[in-house]
Amino acid sequence: MTEIYETQPERTDLPLVVMPAVLDAMVEPIKAQFPALENIARVRMFEEFTSDETVIAERTQGGDALLVGGYHISDDLLRTLGEQHIRCIVFCGTGVASYINLDLARELNIRICNAEHYGDNSVAEHTFALMLELARCAGSLDTNVKAGGWAWKGGDGLQLAGRKLGIIGLGGIGVTVATIARAFGMKVSAWSSHVPAEHFERSGATPVADLNELIADSDIVSVHLPLSSATAGIITADHLEHLKPGTLFINTARSEVIEKGALLARLQRGDIHAALDVFDHEPLTAEDPICHVPGIVLTPHVGWRTDGAFKELTRQMIACLVAFYHGEHYNTVIAER
């Protein structure tokens, strides 16, 4: 039987916040934030993860705000939530456009909130974990040694110091990646639109106005664009043609910022290496063609998942609710009318 955690259950005069599904790693961090809702709203959290929309709809009945983490909300479920008088949905992440139809939420007059910059360090660190795996193959070497091997036939490692890193998107994560890269002794350039000049100054990255030029001149390309209507598909097949043989390509942002099918087609030519944490369809299956690209490194969209990120993420999620019930705004993506 699913355990249900409730705060202030006797305060039926207060509005109800429902968290119908929760990732195991979020349970304790978000419980630590619930006191901020004392005398503002009560919470009902189901301590089990599910993406079953029928179950989610059943569990949200009676609530007027929803905490969401780790699953998509289809248009049908969103309409059901609107019929149940859910007025605010708070996501445990930044790129909510990947998880919900924002235009429909606006039409249904539901406030949508997210969390910002909670995972800048976590995702940047994971980017370097992937980069180092491509460069030094520590995971494969570990497997080889444990199997009794010693001589490594996979080729020598790549030294990062002195190599050119091209960053696509210089927001909070991109700036953090650039800072780490400079500590490694790398030469850092970046292409990014609509970010303050201060981002380039703070990161030490050299601005490059043309994306093709950035890609062609880089030994390593790392993607850090947020997903929006403006960035969807912004990296095209033509851009990827400018990757020179031997380039390392890393994406810990969103797969949708790359033209659909373009990256797989480029990787299947076998002259570049890639490490990816995000995909067109999640979770991947073993039959997915991306899993069969030689030398590729794949992780299951975990770049953001660290203890520090969960702490800041859950703080922001509850801050969104406090602002909502006070008639204020905090990390509002879609405002109700």
Side-chain angles (χ1 to χ4, degrees), residues 149-189:
W150 190 256
W152 174 241
K153 299 178 181 180
D156 293 327
L158 301 176
Q159 177 177 291
L160 296 182
R163 279 193 157 79
K164 297 178 180 179
L165 171 64
I167 296 174
I168 303 177
L170 200 64
I173 296 171
V175 167
T176 307
V177 168
T179 303
I180 297 172
R182 290 178 63 217
F184 269 81
M186 303 177 76
K187 300 172 184 177
V188 184
S189 299

Side-chain angles (χ1 to χ4, degrees), residues 48-316:
E48 172 195 53
F49 182 79
T50 180
S51 58
D52 187 311
E53 296 197 340
T54 300
V55 174
I56 290 170
E58 290 174 353
R59 291 177 176 179
T60 54
Q61 291 183 20
D64 66 351
L66 182 63
L67 291 167
V68 174
Y71 58 91
H72 293 74
I73 294 181
S74 70
D75 289 357
D76 286 343
L77 177 57
L78 185 55
R79 290 189 181 94
T80 298
L81 296 174
E83 292 169 359
Q84 292 177 352
H85 306 294
I86 294 293
R87 298 184 295 130
C88 177
I89 299 177
V90 179
F91 279 86
C92 72
T94 303
V96 294
S98 298
Y99 291 89
I100 191 169
N101 183 334
L102 295 178
D103 290 334
L104 180 57
R106 185 181 288 107
E107 178 185 323
L108 295 172
N109 199 30
I110 299 174
R111 179 186 290 201
I112 306 295
C113 300
N114 69 351
E116 299 179 350
H117 301 297
Y118 67 92
D120 287 0
N121 288 301
S122 297
V123 177
E125 290 169 7
H126 192 69
T127 297
F128 267 84
L130 295 177
M131 191 185 304
L132 287 164
E133 182 60 32
L134 288 176
R136 302 305 299 267
C137 303
S140 299
L141 289 166
D142 171 72
T143 300
N144 184 57
V145 170
K146 289 176 178 176
W150 190 256
W152 174 241
K153 299 178 181 180
D156 293 327
L158 301 176
Q159 177 177 291
L160 296 182
R163 279 193 157 79
K164 297 178 180 179
L165 171 64
I167 296 174
I168 303 177
L170 200 64
I173 296 171
V175 167
T176 307
V177 168
T179 303
I180 297 172
R182 290 178 63 217
F184 269 81
M186 303 177 76
K187 300 172 184 177
V188 184
S189 299
W191 175 91
S192 195
S193 58
H194 305 102
V195 299
E198 187 267 338
H199 283 216
F200 287 95
E201 296 167 5
R202 181 155 54 93
S203 68
T206 300
V208 177
D210 184 82
L211 184 53
N212 284 336
E213 179 185 338
L214 177 86
I215 292 172
D217 194 44
S218 297
D219 301 310
I220 303 165
V221 174
S222 192
V223 181
H224 299 289
L225 290 168
L227 177 63
S228 68
S229 58
T231 62
I234 196 170
I235 302 172
T236 66
D238 178 67
H239 291 132
L240 297 179
E241 283 297 316
H242 289 78
L243 290 164
K244 61 190 178 186
T247 300
L248 308 184
F249 185 89
I250 301 165
N251 189 4
T252 55
R254 284 288 190 272
S255 64
E256 295 93 336
V257 301
I258 303 174
E259 180 184 340
K260 190 172 181 62
L263 181 60
L264 176 62
R266 182 66 184 83
L267 293 176
Q268 286 177 329
R269 284 158 51 181
D271 63 338
I272 66 173
H273 301 284
L276 310 175
D277 188 48
V278 291
F279 309 93
D280 290 338
H281 301 286
E282 298 179 4
L284 287 181
T285 64
E287 293 74 33
D288 196 292
I290 201 75
C291 295
H292 302 284
V293 173
I296 198 167
V297 174
L298 307 177
T299 55
H301 203 151
V302 294
W304 62 281
R305 293 188 63 157
T306 66
D307 53 352
F310 275 120
K311 182 177 181 179
E312 175 59 16
L313 169 63
T314 54
R315 184 199 68 77
Q316 290 190 38

Side-chain angles (χ1 to χ4, degrees), residues 7 13 66 75 244 289 320-321:
T7 67
D13 58 308
L66 182 63
D75 289 357
K244 61 190 178 186
C320 288
L321 290 172

